[in-house]
Amino acid sequence: MMIKIEHVTKKFKNNIVLNNVSLEFQKGKIYGIIGRNASGKSVLFKTICGFLEPDSGYVEVNGINIYDDRCFPKNISALIEKPKFMDDLSGIENLVLLSKIKNKITKDDILEILRKVSISESDQTKLVKNYSVGTKQKLGIAQVLMEDDDILIFDEPFNGLDDSSVKNIRELILNEKKKGKLILLASHIKEDIDLLCDIVYRVDCGKVTKYEKSK
């Protein structure tokens, strides 16, 4: 499994967010994406997922140009920016509804992933509008993990989590790497990058450059 980005440029009006970016991501590795706020990390992720079409260049997932198909790649799950759910449904109801899009998993599978991300039984049946920031974040992570897709994208996954939850989610992400998944992770926390990522790229002024981690 591989993602190939070739000469991708994306701009909004006169603001060039991605400027002739070329990258390759391979399975079995965690790639860190760092940069200041509004540097283009989320735009890069949205372009990879097919949510934003580049002005020039292309993205291939496993050899297929995703913009030729004009559809979201079937083997990617992503949490980009803040988790978005239907507030008047419970956490479990939201995930069951979303699972019907691909129809790959059962309710029992969803209950198992909710247990793994440490969402309590009482919170599972609580309306999402009554969730704390941290519980909503864990629900977003559960959505990424629940269908066992080959490519996982996490945009600031640890926002709003307490120390215990951060440790648990880090372990879950590392376990996904052991399965041979390709994982992209954006975080502004240096410890996340140092502990989790094999290769790190910095996004700045439209350019994406390799960043050497601390030893």
Side-chain angles (χ1 to χ4, degrees), residues 85-91 93-94 126-130:
F85 295 102
M86 298 180 70
D87 283 345
D88 290 325
L89 295 180
S90 69
E93 287 171 336
N94 266 279
K126 187 186 296 183
L127 298 184
V128 168
K129 66 182 177 183
N130 296 321

Side-chain angles (χ1 to χ4, degrees), residues 3 16 21 37 54-55 72-73 76 79 90 97 99 103 107 126 132 147 150 164 167 180 191 195 197 202 206 209-210:
I3 296 173
I16 299 176
V21 172
N37 289 340
D55 298 302
F72 183 88
I76 292 182
L79 171 62
S90 69
L97 188 62
S99 73
N103 203 29
K107 186 176 180 180
K126 187 186 296 183
S132 67
E147 292 174 316
D150 297 318
S164 175
K167 182 179 179 181
E191 187 179 13
L195 289 175
C197 300
R202 180 189 293 277
T209 55
K210 198 166 183 179

Side-chain angles (χ1 to χ4, degrees), residues 8 18 42-52 54 59 66-67:
V8 163
L18 300 175
S42 296
V43 172
L44 177 65
F45 287 164
K46 289 177 182 178
T47 303
I48 290 170
C49 290
F51 297 155
L52 288 175
V59 177
I66 64 173
Y67 298 103

Side-chain angles (χ1 to χ4, degrees), residues 92-192:
I92 183 67
E93 287 171 336
N94 266 279
L95 295 192
V96 167
L97 188 62
L98 289 167
S99 73
K100 294 184 184 300
I101 297 172
K102 296 180 182 179
N103 203 29
K104 290 171 59 177
I105 57 174
T106 66
K107 186 176 180 180
D108 285 342
D109 295 323
I110 294 170
L111 290 170
E112 174 64 14
I113 198 62
L114 288 172
R115 183 192 64 78
K116 286 183 177 180
V117 300
S118 298
I119 295 181
S120 67
E121 290 186 16
S122 61
D123 278 339
Q124 290 172 20
T125 56
K126 187 186 296 183
L127 298 184
V128 168
K129 66 182 177 183
N130 296 321
Y131 273 14
S132 67
V133 172
T135 302
K136 187 177 287 189
Q137 190 74 7
K138 287 191 282 187
L139 189 66
I141 292 165
Q143 182 190 343
V144 174
L145 297 175
M146 67 181 187
E147 292 174 316
D148 201 26
D149 283 317
D150 297 318
I151 300 171
L152 309 177
I153 297 177
F154 298 97
D155 189 0
E156 302 287 353
F158 305 108
N159 282 352
L161 299 185
D162 58 29
D163 290 345
S164 175
S165 296
V166 167
K167 182 179 179 181
N168 180 48
I169 299 303
R170 282 176 179 166
E171 290 175 356
L172 289 176
I173 290 173
L174 287 170
N175 284 336
E176 294 301 307
K177 173 190 168 181
K178 290 176 183 176
K179 296 177 187 177
K181 305 290 182 71
L182 193 171
I183 301 170
L184 303 182
L185 170 72
S187 178
H188 66 280
I189 301 172
K190 183 177 181 297
E191 187 179 13
D192 297 336

